[in-house]
Amino acid sequence: MEHEITLVVNGTARRVGVPARRLLSDCLRHDLGLTGTHVGCEHGVCGCCTVLLDGEPIRSCLTFAVSVDGAEITTVEGLGGEGAPSPGLRSAGSAATGATREGDGSRATEPASRSEAMSAVQRAFAECHGLQCGFCTPGFLCTVTALLRDNPAPTDEEVLEGISGNLCRCTGYQNIVKAVHRAAELLAEEA
């Protein structure tokens, strides 16, 4: 049995029919075509699937889609300017798979008119080479976005604590930590 739910994903209301046990990560990737959210361990340990639920980072691989009906979800595709995906961080193959936008029934595809601007956090990760293989990057970007919103000038210890729930299999945390501090600088400059 499917349940009709509405999610506000990256600023756009999306209606989708999902089975009761459909994970949010699968709903985002398979039903809405937002493949920027990666699934690593599927046990909530690695943080690759982190998205923002009403602004707070959550593990989408541990969350049933039906349990967040009506909520606002921000994925890595929505971190850039005006909810736009950025060319360097957008995953290929993000075509819609049948989900519709609220109200008009149109196929859910990325509008061409969206800005291609990256967020300060995305720019900092690119600038500081915090991307490495990139598999864990979407989760880090969502986590760091929330971290810097709550603590605009974190210490090294606070950064390490803030990203401690995200694992990088490339084991290169130095550039990620540098990127967090650089993102804090960029956000301060933009304020």
Side-chain angles (χ1 to χ4, degrees), residues 31-60:
D31 298 325
L32 300 179
L34 296 169
T35 57
T37 299
H38 291 171
V39 178
C41 66
E42 299 185 73
H43 292 88
V45 175
C46 73
C48 288
C49 67
T50 302
V51 298
L52 301 178
L53 171 66
D54 294 329
E56 297 301 320
I58 64 154
R59 302 290 194 257
S60 62

Side-chain angles (χ1 to χ4, degrees), residues 32 37 45 61 70 119 122 128 132 141 168:
L32 300 179
T37 299
V45 175
C61 77
S119 73
Q122 290 169 319
C128 296
Q132 303 175 90
L141 293 173
C168 171

